Amino acid sequence: MRVPLSWLREYVDLPATETGRDVQAKLISAGLEVETVEHLGADLKGPLVVGQVLTIEELEGFKKPIRFCTVDVGRANGTGEPQEIVCGARNFSVGDKVVVVLPGATLPGGFSISARKTYGKVSHGMICSSDELGMGDDGSHGIIVLPPETEVGKDAVELLELVDEVLDIAVTANRGDCLSIRGVARETAIAYGLPLRDPALLDVPGPNAFGYPVKVSDPAGCDRFTARTVTGLSPEARSPIWLQRRLQKVGMRPISLAVDVTNYVMMELGQPLHAYDRHQVQGAIGVRRAQEGEKIVTLDGVERKLHAEDLVITDDRGPIGLAGVMGGADTEIADHDPSEEGAGATTDVIIEAAHFDQVSVARTARRHKLSSEASRRFERGVDPQAAAAAAQRTVDLLVLLAGGTAEAGVTEVVAPGAPHTVTMAADHPDKVAGVTYGRETVVRRLQEVGCDVYGQDELIVTVPSWRPDLTDPNDLAEEVIRLEGYENLPSTLPRPPAGRGLTARQRLHRRIGRALAGAGYVEALNYPFVSEQVFDQLGLEADDPARRVVKLVNPLSDEEPALRTSLLPGLLAALRRNDGRGSHDLALFETGLVFQPRDAARVAANLPVDRRPSSDDIAALNAALPDQPRHVAVVLAGAREQAGWWGKGRPADWADAVEAARTVAREAGAELGIRKGQYGPWHPGRCAELTVTVDGAERVVGHAGELHPRVLKTLGLPARSCAMELDLDVLERVGDTVPQAPSISTFPVATQDVALVVDAYVPAADVEAALREGAGELLESIRLFDVYENAEQLGEGRKSLAYALRFRANDRTLTVDEASAAREAAVALATDRTGAVLRG
């Protein structure tokens, strides 16, 4: 929310010496996030005056149209003679009033103006556009043309209000009242201890039977609807300069008088409004839910198919607006076209000031991807009591600026309701903050916010209509604390018991991160939100447990409404993004939580804030949450080893993904089983199933290998990309993190090689497991060093696996017979279990 300091001063009598920086400091202390203070016109230096175009000569022979003008600037140039200026714009004519900057001036950006020869003429100054003066977009895309009654020679800096300070406030989701000058002025008045001139305090006529007919069929979606009618608007009327400048300073573009007035009042009071061309509205105005499949063309020219939950404004034809989001094109205010003698211009308007349900507006805006200034305010909460005042303010401005007549009829449809009341102990803010404020301070601060407060030890607080976020005692306590100053809260450092540090789980996660980083992986942190479509892209079966997701009630994006059940979607998106930006040799990893819904859904209770939650409180909260195991995943693409003088390099392949799993398992002290598998996005035949033994039963904890070409194509990933994902919590459970000292023997090793021929479908891991068990305790290590397939020598469907076996005893030197016996025992068990045959 952009707030001009000059506009703010209209409602709060700030000291003349207060700057934007001073106000920023006060508001930040009160809890508002004032990000910047923009100094408009800080580097602007005159003379900058109003001039009248006397003559225009078209210069020929140039690539673009050039005009040589004489402009009357009064006595501003010291001589009273017409000023000669070369200009390329064409949106002004002889007799128009324009803004002229004279030699010696400096425009925003440090652009100095001097007399100079150009296009064969000497230009003494410049005729200005709004962009050149740093005013923002005024919709003209050319020179500023001022109203005919503007005085020649008048100081344009003062006329256009070019010097000002604008506070840019990042309004949080709970402070919709601060999306208005009125709301920020109230906070400023409280911060300075000054009275507020509330712009919403207007004399408003009561509703009567003569107003425009309105029927609200859904009072839950629209609990208040005010309609006023203004007739006889002048088609030639234009928004005055002061109104245009205020809109530009808050970041809006002037459009037409009627639209500008509704935007102005919205920024002033925080109440979104809409103006309908009365002659385009057919019959009574209605508010109802849309019928599934109804269509409407909104003001942005897009035809939208409506959902049954959308709240719409209607007339006899059907929907004419999306309630609280955007109006329809059928009833749009038509501006005057001077070339058509005012034909088609809107002269009679119906003003709508309504209050719509926050959730309904938010869902409609997201469903149609149509965020607007109105929807931003309704989503965060609008003061329902301000609707009538906003309508009256709009009527007053249209009558004043466009010569219209306010009809006597006033329509106001209001659903029954009562102010929200909260009961709170008078010392509750003291308990929350750990500071003794006292009842008087609590009551005074709540009254400053706008609350009505009654009671002694127990306060009965009626919250103001403009603060729908104050719903319980903790909200009221926060108001007292922030207004008394967060900086005044005592700081107390926690005192942990001596000797405690990271938990075993935290240490494990850090070790795994360091190990993967040492192996050449780069950590990538991704958002935990996914779309359910990604499971189709990953090729998961329809009944795959990973498809059961936790959906968010209020997601950041409707395209990603679910919490992840796997780390791969985020990592693969990061891989695709980096590859698309020219980084082709990639190795990324992530450790993070995944979310798995429980069979029985529970509602979490609100934890207390005035004391430490008990163990039962925390246990009940955890029981209501989804299961959140921690996973680790890696993705690889491109070269795993770079080419250079040392060799040709090597591309990443499935074996690297499997080795990453082994690295993680080693850090966890877990024994990882690796065997052939097939699952989801991995390529059949190049996928390893990763297992551990839990309580005597084998359990699959992840997969590793090369991704399926179909998945690569669907997700736009590099060819031969690989991935691995493991359940870290299960590894931690079965792992032994006690450091193991290496076994060092002074006796020599005995090495025996063995080559076994097995069927091609037999996993090498099964053969290795049999050899390891059969060799007994003398076996120190085993390594597969060759895989050979040749149908002529081995037979069809057969392969040869060559292993190096290292034998060693801790107390003696092994004899050849002992090593050979251990080797033969290993081969015998492998033959018995896998059908292996010694090669040769």
Side-chain angles (χ1 to χ4, degrees):
M1 175 69 190
R2 291 172 56 85
V3 180
L5 190 59
S6 59
W7 198 349
L8 195 62
R9 289 182 182 275
E10 283 198 7
Y11 310 125
V12 184
D13 288 327
L14 294 173
T17 57
E18 287 295 285
T19 66
R21 294 290 185 190
D22 298 328
V23 177
Q24 178 189 31
K26 286 282 189 180
L27 293 180
I28 289 176
S29 179
L32 295 186
E33 298 179 22
V34 186
E35 295 186 327
T36 60
V37 177
E38 183 179 354
H39 297 268
L40 302 181
D43 52 355
L44 178 64
K45 178 183 176 183
L48 191 71
V49 298
V50 176
Q52 183 172 23
V53 180
L54 301 179
T55 65
I56 297 177
E57 177 188 350
E58 302 289 345
L59 301 183
E60 305 293 339
F62 300 102
K63 293 182 179 179
K64 62 179 182 179
I66 298 296
R67 312 167 93 185
F68 181 65
C69 312
T70 59
V71 185
D72 178 14
V73 295
R75 301 292 302 178
N77 58 3
T79 65
E81 296 294 324
Q83 201 79 0
E84 297 179 340
I85 298 175
V86 175
C87 184
R90 310 192 65 79
N91 67 313
F92 64 95
S93 307
V94 172
D96 283 346
K97 302 290 180 64
V98 295
V99 178
V100 178
V101 58
L102 302 177
T106 302
L107 295 182
F111 182 56
S112 299
I113 303 299
S114 60
R116 63 190 184 96
K117 188 172 182 180
T118 179
Y119 297 104
K121 301 285 186 179
V122 177
S123 181
H124 299 272
M126 189 169 71
I127 302 175
C128 298
S129 68
S130 60
D131 286 339
E132 291 164 340
L133 296 179
M135 295 170 55
D137 185 12
D138 64 355
S140 67
H141 305 292
I143 294 302
I144 301 171
V145 179
L146 301 171
E149 64 272 12
T150 309
E151 178 186 350
V152 172
K154 183 177 178 64
D155 183 3
V157 174
E158 179 182 352
L159 175 69
L160 300 177
E161 302 178 16
L162 297 178
V163 178
D164 202 350
E165 293 181 274
V166 179
L167 285 72
D168 193 350
I169 303 176
V171 178
T172 53
N174 66 316
R175 292 304 304 272
D177 60 304
C178 288
L179 285 174
S180 67
I181 303 298
R182 179 196 183 201
V184 177
R186 181 180 293 107
E187 289 295 318
T188 306
I190 295 172
Y192 278 92
L194 296 171
L196 169 70
R197 287 188 293 275
D198 192 343
L201 295 180
L202 302 175
D203 291 330
V204 180
N208 54 51
F210 309 107
Y212 198 90
V214 173
K215 180 181 179 181
V216 177
S217 302
D218 190 338
C222 175
D223 58 7
R224 185 178 295 265
F225 195 108
T226 300
R228 300 289 298 276
T229 304
V230 181
T231 60
L233 301 180
S234 171
E236 289 80 19
R238 291 290 176 269
S239 301
I241 293 174
W242 65 266
L243 192 150
Q244 293 187 44
R245 286 295 296 133
R246 285 193 170 178
L247 289 178
Q248 288 175 325
K249 289 177 185 179
V250 298
M252 303 190 78
R253 180 173 64 87
I255 298 174
S256 64
L257 178 59
V259 176
D260 291 349
V261 167
T262 57
N263 286 337
Y264 177 84
V265 175
M266 176 180 67
M267 302 306 296
E268 182 181 55
L269 301 182
Q271 168 66 51
L273 302 109
H274 190 70
Y276 300 93
D277 188 328
R278 182 176 182 178
H279 298 295
Q280 301 299 325
V281 179
Q282 299 180 12
I285 292 177
V287 183
R288 62 169 172 82
R289 296 290 172 175
Q291 297 174 8
E292 190 70 39
E294 277 189 305
K295 294 182 179 180
I296 183 175
V297 178
T298 46
L299 287 174
D300 57 359
V302 177
E303 182 179 79
R304 302 183 185 277
K305 186 176 180 180
L306 301 179
H307 188 275
E309 291 185 5
D310 292 335
L311 192 67
V312 293
I313 311 297
T314 65
D315 65 3
D316 289 349
R317 295 166 296 180
I320 59 173
L322 281 173
V325 181
M326 185 174 287
D330 290 342
T331 56
E332 182 180 7
I333 297 295
D335 199 8
H336 168 58
D337 186 346
S339 65
E340 298 184 9
E341 301 297 329
T346 297
T347 57
D348 301 341
V349 298
I350 302 170
I351 305 300
E352 166 208 303
H355 184 260
F356 301 111
D357 177 62
Q358 293 178 240
V359 175
S360 176
V361 171
R363 288 180 176 173
T364 296
R366 294 189 180 186
R367 188 179 297 119
H368 296 283
K369 298 179 177 61
L370 188 61
S371 179
S372 65
E373 291 290 343
S375 68
R376 286 183 63 220
R377 283 161 176 78
F378 280 121
E379 289 173 14
R380 289 161 175 78
V382 169
D383 181 4
Q385 302 293 334
Q392 182 64 46
R393 177 72 165 139
T394 305
V395 168
D396 292 343
L397 287 173
L398 289 176
V399 170
L400 174 66
L401 302 177
T405 302
E407 289 195 351
V410 177
T411 303
E412 190 164 359
V413 180
V414 182
H420 182 62
T421 300
V422 179
T423 301
M424 178 185 74
D427 62 350
H428 183 65
D430 301 1
K431 294 179 179 179
V432 173
V435 177
T436 303
Y437 292 120
R439 179 187 177 280
E440 291 185 3
T441 299
V442 171
V443 171
R444 174 172 56 84
R445 288 303 190 183
L446 292 178
Q447 289 175 338
E448 287 177 346
V449 172
C451 299
D452 291 329
V453 186
Y454 303 95
Q456 291 298 319
D457 294 338
E458 187 173 77
L459 303 179
I460 300 174
V461 183
T462 302
V463 301
S465 58
W466 56 83
R467 291 298 303 274
D469 58 307
L470 304 182
T471 60
D472 57 54
N474 292 329
D475 296 327
L476 300 179
E478 182 182 3
E479 292 300 296
V480 175
I481 295 168
R482 75 175 181 87
L483 294 179
E484 282 295 302
Y486 293 123
E487 67 277 8
N488 296 322
L489 292 177
S491 64
T492 305
L493 292 176
R495 298 180 179 179
R500 292 193 182 180
L502 298 176
T503 64
R505 187 186 194 203
Q506 291 170 330
R507 289 195 296 270
L508 172 61
H509 296 161
R510 293 197 179 188
R511 287 203 312 273
I512 289 172
R514 286 193 293 266
L516 289 174
Y521 291 86
V522 176
E523 186 171 16
L525 301 178
N526 299 289
Y527 287 115
F529 312 116
V530 296
S531 119
E532 292 183 86
Q533 181 184 0
V534 76
F535 301 125
D536 296 327
Q537 297 171 336
L538 292 176
L540 300 187
E541 298 292 338
D543 59 348
D544 194 297
R547 285 184 176 269
R548 293 186 62 237
V549 295
V550 177
K551 288 189 177 180
L552 300 173
V553 175
N554 190 23
L556 291 178
S557 169
D558 288 336
E559 295 179 357
E560 296 179 330
L563 292 174
R564 66 190 179 191
T565 55
S566 166
L567 300 182
L568 289 184
L571 271 180
L572 294 176
L575 182 72
R576 179 180 63 247
R577 186 163 52 251
N578 282 276
D579 181 71
R581 295 177 180 176
S583 298
H584 304 302
D585 302 326
L586 296 162
L588 308 177
F589 84 93
E590 180 178 11
T591 61
L593 302 179
V594 298
F595 305 86
Q596 299 167 350
R598 298 182 188 268
D599 294 333
R602 300 183 183 180
V603 178
N606 289 328
L607 295 181
V609 297
D610 57 344
R611 58 181 172 81
R612 187 184 186 280
S614 67
S615 299
D616 291 341
D617 291 334
I618 296 175
L621 178 64
N622 288 333
L625 297 175
D627 288 327
Q628 301 176 56
R630 183 173 291 271
H631 282 200
V632 60
V634 305
V635 293
L636 304 102
R640 185 66 177 133
E641 296 177 3
Q642 295 291 335
W645 57 266
W646 52 84
K648 295 182 179 180
R650 180 178 65 81
D653 61 18
W654 62 270
D656 295 302
V658 174
E659 182 57 30
R662 289 195 179 100
T663 299
V664 172
R666 281 195 296 269
E667 292 298 325
E671 185 174 343
L672 191 67
I674 301 172
R675 65 189 182 198
K676 181 180 179 181
Q678 183 173 344
Y679 176 71
W682 280 277
H683 193 306
R686 298 175 187 171
C687 172
E689 191 172 73
L690 310 174
T691 65
V692 295
T693 301
V694 182
D695 298 330
E698 192 175 60
R699 178 171 170 180
V700 177
V701 291
H703 294 83
E706 185 178 316
L707 296 176
H708 198 289
R710 182 176 59 251
V711 173
L712 300 181
K713 183 178 180 181
T714 302
L715 295 177
L717 299 172
R720 308 302 292 269
S721 294
C722 302
M724 178 278 294
E725 184 167 12
L726 273 173
D727 188 328
L728 263 185
D729 285 357
V730 177
L731 284 183
E732 180 186 7
R733 178 181 169 186
V734 303
D736 182 5
T737 56
V738 177
Q740 298 293 326
S743 176
I744 301 175
S745 174
T746 59
F747 297 97
V749 65
T751 302
Q752 297 270 356
D753 291 346
V754 58
L756 301 175
V757 178
V758 296
D759 291 332
Y761 63 82
V762 175
D766 291 352
V767 178
E768 180 179 327
L771 289 173
R772 187 183 299 276
E773 183 179 344
E777 61 182 14
L778 293 179
L779 181 68
E780 182 179 79
S781 67
I782 181 172
R783 179 175 62 88
L784 175 67
F785 65 86
D786 183 55
V787 178
Y788 178 70
E789 295 183 10
N790 188 310
E792 293 183 1
Q793 296 185 16
L794 304 177
E796 191 69 32
R798 305 279 282 173
K799 64 182 178 183
S800 170
L801 303 176
Y803 293 90
L805 286 73
R806 292 166 56 91
F807 298 96
R808 193 194 312 254
N810 293 326
D811 57 350
R812 67 188 186 282
T813 299
L814 292 177
T815 65
V816 174
D817 291 340
E818 287 178 310
S820 297
R823 171 181 176 275
E824 291 171 1
V827 171
L829 187 58
T831 300
D832 181 56
R833 287 188 177 178
T834 66
V837 177
L838 271 174
R839 183 178 170 188

